[in-house]
Structures are given as C-alpha cells and as structure tokens.
Amino acid sequence: MPQSNSGPRTIEGTLVAKGMRFALVAGRFNEFFVDKLVEGALDSIRRHGGNPAEAVLVKVPGAFEIPLAAQKLAEGGKYDAVICLGAVVRGSTPHFDYVAGEAAKGVSSVSLKTGVPCVFGIVTTDTLEQALERCGTKQGNKGFDAATTAIEMVSLLKQLG
Ligand code: INI
C-alpha cells in the first residue's frame, strides 16, 4: 500500500512464506473435517511460496489437547509459528462449551506466553453442516485462512524485532 506523507509509518506483515518453518497441530476428533483443514493449511503455505514438506504435522486426540502440544512446539524454538486445527461441533452436548472455550483460551495463552504466533484454526459450529461449510465449501477453508494468518504474523513479528 502506498505510504502517505502525513500518516503514521505503517508496519504490516507480508504473505511470503519462503523459508518459514511451521508446525501444524490437528485434533483427531471430527477427523473428516480436520483433514480438510490440514489440506487447506498446507495449500496456503505452498501458494505463498513456502515448502509444505518442511512442515511438521502433530496429531492430538481432540481440540482440548491442542494447546498443550502447541506449547511444547512453541517452546522448542524450531518453528516460526504453530497452526492449530480442529473441529468442535455443538450437537446436543454442553461439552462443546468447555472444549471450544478451553481450546481458544489455551491457544491464545500459548501465543502470549511464548511469543510464537499460535493461530486459531479451530472451527466451532452448531452443526455438522456448518462445519462442512468452513472446511472447503461455502465459507472457504479455515485451515487455509489460519495458515495465511500465521504467515502474516511471522513476517510482522520479524519486523517488530
Ligand atoms: N473434541 C473435538 O475436537 N471436537 C469436538 O466436537 C469434541 N466434542 O464434541 O466432544 C471434542 N471432544 C474431545 C475433547 O477435545 C478431548 O479430546 C476429550 O475431552 C479428552 O480430554
């Protein structure tokens, strides 16, 4: 974007993934959907100039377990960003609120604690149909979006020093 002479100096990340190292953490629960999110995330890395073959994919039982694995990966210092992928579908159980809430809080807290961007690519929906819409159909692919956000944040944090 062109810089205006009077406005503030703007710093923002680019979408160039070349040389970036990514860890993906994926819940196995609702695997049909999560597999599509993983595909979307790898597609984003590739289409932004990164190498998906250099990414690591870590699988955990469900979304509730994602933050702990993400924390271990972020603390290890080997990855520039952790892309968290899962699918929590409400159905008829109050379990949803605990699982979705803890996953969201946990991913955010890992980011803030470690300084490594941990991106929330966990789909939380009322129905299976809504989940499908976010995993590569009507509403796009939230895994692709999460990886794109990770690329931008890695680039931004490098500039912020
Ligand atoms: N895990 C999910 O990833 N998605 C869900 O929809 C889900 N539901 O609905 O229960 C879910 N539960 C499992 C949870 O993530 C943990 O693996 C489990 O509670 C053990 O800690």
Side-chain angles (χ1 to χ4, degrees):
M1 204 198 286
Q3 301 273 327
S4 105
N5 288 333
S6 54
R9 182 167 72 96
T10 301
I11 306 172
E12 59 189 342
T14 65
L15 294 179
V16 181
K18 191 169 164 36
M20 290 181 182
R21 303 158 306 166
F22 296 102
L24 280 61
V25 182
R28 222 178 285 109
F29 206 103
N30 289 324
E31 197 163 33
F32 175 83
F33 300 112
V34 182
D35 282 350
K36 310 274 179 232
L37 298 175
V38 170
E39 276 172 32
L42 295 173
D43 188 39
S44 168
I45 292 169
R46 183 182 61 76
R47 287 173 59 187
H48 291 101
N51 183 358
E54 279 174 16
V56 67
L57 171 62
V58 175
K59 293 213 174 186
V60 295
F64 192 84
E65 284 72 36
I66 288 175
L68 181 58
Q71 178 168 281
K72 190 85 182 163
L73 290 159
E75 286 172 349
K78 281 201 217 156
Y79 301 102
D80 297 306
V82 183
I83 301 166
C84 300
L85 304 168
V88 192
V89 179
R90 185 182 293 276
S92 55
T93 159
H95 203 56
F96 170 95
D97 296 306
Y98 300 109
V99 173
E102 291 306 312
K105 259 193 280 167
V107 171
S108 160
S109 138
V110 172
S111 247
L112 296 174
K113 263 205 313 210
T114 62
V116 175
C118 294
V119 178
F120 191 71
I122 302 173
V123 166
T124 59
T125 61
D126 286 333
T127 66
L128 292 170
E129 191 186 356
Q130 288 168 350
L132 188 61
E133 285 175 2
R134 289 157 180 76
C135 294
T137 62
K138 282 187 199 167
Q139 305 270 347
N141 184 312
K142 297 300 169 198
F144 185 99
D145 297 346
T148 308
T149 297
I151 295 163
E152 178 170 347
M153 287 305 292
V154 171
S155 164
L156 175 67
L157 292 185
K158 272 187 195 150
Q159 295 177 63
L160 295 181

